[in-house]
Amino acid sequence: MRALLVDRSAPAGLRLGNAPDPTPEPHQALVRVAATSFNYGEVGHLLQEADEGTVLGWDAAGVVERAAADGSGPAAGTPVVTLAPDGAWAELRAVDTDLIGTVPGGADLGAISTVPVAGASALRALHRLGPLLGRRVLITGATGGVGRYAVQLARQGGAYVVATTGDPGARGDALRALGAHEVVGTPAAVTEPVHGVLDMVGGKQLVEAYEMLAGGGTLVAVGHAAGEPEHFPHGTLYGDDGRHDRSIASFHLLGCTALAPDLTWLAGRIAAGELDPGISWRGSWQQAAEAADALLGRRLHGKAVLDLD
Ligand SMILES: NC(=O)c1ccc[n+]([C@@H]2O[C@H](COP(=O)([O-])OP(=O)(O)OC[C@H]3O[C@@H](n4cnc5c(N)ncnc54)[C@H](OP(=O)(O)O)[C@@H]3O)[C@@H](O)[C@H]2O)c1
């Protein structure tokens, strides 16, 4: 099969070449991939660390080529959305059936390929905050893949949504169109306490966002796009200023269980036009280096979708 292989001598460290077809385990379906989407974590981190020749990739949408031998999961011919620790950047991938969502017939599989990491992370992290109806929620790094889904889902869940971006002037309108009530440049500019935070940036923004939490509130540390450590001023965590019982929760999507229903639900919302997949770059997987460079250079706000043509 053809696949994007790690090759540090190639642009962005990726080369379209050939790899052996995967051999599914009994609980895995074999999926023919139509489209994949890039995530910051795999392009920014995994690609730098992986062995030469590896086939990476978390997100892929396609059609089941061969159902799982143990009888679990969708039948051959079913359009699906899939998540796994690797193997998405290839024509065929073997995926555990509990990480496969089904997709309505006729849906754009490129749009659906944005769901697994970005959409499912936003959904699970928002669940960690509890009920959102009538509550104020702050989303940092809101223009990114996870952030755009988080803004929409928090708004649909009934929250008052405050979003951050490094450039509210240029990107504020797009965030308001997705459902943000307010757009600010940094959590320190938030004017009233919030019940919950989804933080995609880390570092100084995480520390500032924690300061904005109301008593009993929760900050979910989803991402670390800034690549900075977090330094809390002495006394920040005493909890003796009337805002006690605030929490910071760590988060890792691949540690979550029973994701298939979330993937199916998110794919259905996109197919119905009720969620915007946030595609800001789309092209052939032969142009993978262009998409990876834009993502790492902070020039790509939203999802990059690669069609396997
Ligand atoms: N824990 C998990 O399971 C999990 C799951 C998914 C993602 N993540 C992590 O979550 C983070 C976001 O992922 P993503 O896919 O949404 O990434 P992304 O598409 O690159 O979006 C990140 C956003 O953060 C902002 N940003 C980028 N660099 C920044 C910097 N140096 N300082 C401040 N803001 C910066 C950018 O917005 P502006 O330019 O508009 O400010 C960008 O749109 C990444 O760290 C990723 O690894 C973790």
Side-chain angles (χ1 to χ4, degrees):
M1 66 174 181
R2 290 182 303 158
L4 280 178
L5 306 170
V6 175
D7 179 350
R8 295 207 169 69
S9 67
L14 284 171
R15 171 176 60 82
L16 194 55
N18 291 302
D21 288 1
T23 307
E25 302 284 327
H27 63 288
Q28 293 182 320
L30 187 66
V31 174
R32 183 160 292 277
V33 175
T36 182
S37 79
F38 274 167
N39 294 285
Y40 183 88
E42 55 199 354
V43 177
H45 301 298
L46 287 190
L47 189 51
Q48 326 302 325
E49 298 155 11
D51 293 337
E52 295 279 320
T54 306
V55 181
L56 299 174
W58 293 325
D59 298 346
V63 175
V64 176
E65 179 102 346
R66 195 164 69 238
D70 69 0
S72 64
T78 308
V80 290
V81 55
T82 67
L83 170 68
D86 53 30
W89 302 344
E91 289 175 315
L92 291 168
R93 84 182 308 201
V95 193
D96 296 4
T97 51
D98 63 358
L99 292 174
I100 298 178
T102 56
V103 175
D108 171 7
L109 291 175
I112 300 296
S113 76
T114 66
V115 159
V117 169
S121 294
L123 183 61
R124 279 297 167 104
L126 286 169
H127 284 170
R128 184 69 180 75
L129 299 181
L132 301 179
L133 191 61
R135 289 177 150 166
R136 292 170 59 83
V137 171
L138 171 63
I139 294 162
T140 70
T143 61
V146 182
R148 284 174 184 237
Y149 273 117
V151 167
Q152 295 176 77
L153 292 167
R155 175 72 185 243
Q156 291 177 14
Y160 182 93
V161 180
V162 185
T164 75
T165 165
D167 193 343
R171 297 193 272 282
D173 284 348
L175 289 172
R176 279 184 282 272
L178 290 177
H181 293 87
E182 285 179 43
V183 180
V184 294
T186 163
V190 177
T191 51
E192 288 179 46
V194 296
H195 162 75
V197 178
L198 252 59
D199 177 48
M200 266 63 80
V201 175
K204 188 164 172 277
Q205 290 216 20
L206 185 153
V207 175
E208 286 181 4
Y210 181 79
E211 271 301 308
M212 295 314 304
L213 267 188
T218 301
L219 181 153
V220 184
V222 177
H224 313 276
E228 294 169 358
E230 288 84 26
H231 295 294
F232 288 88
H234 181 70
T236 304
L237 304 178
Y238 284 2
D240 61 352
D241 63 354
R243 292 183 298 157
H244 67 282
D245 200 22
R246 291 177 288 170
S247 311
I248 299 176
S250 60
F251 178 85
H252 198 256
L253 182 68
L254 289 169
C256 297
T257 56
L259 284 166
D262 289 6
L263 298 176
T264 299
W265 182 77
L266 288 161
R269 306 280 293 183
I270 289 178
E274 292 162 358
L275 270 181
D276 179 343
I279 300 172
S280 51
W281 187 98
R282 186 164 183 173
S284 163
W285 66 338
Q286 299 177 42
Q287 298 164 270
E290 181 186 310
D293 284 345
L295 184 61
L296 295 182
R298 208 171 163 183
R299 300 188 304 280
L300 193 155
H301 292 93
K303 294 295 292 178
V305 170
L306 290 84
D307 294 300
L308 274 65
D309 49 8

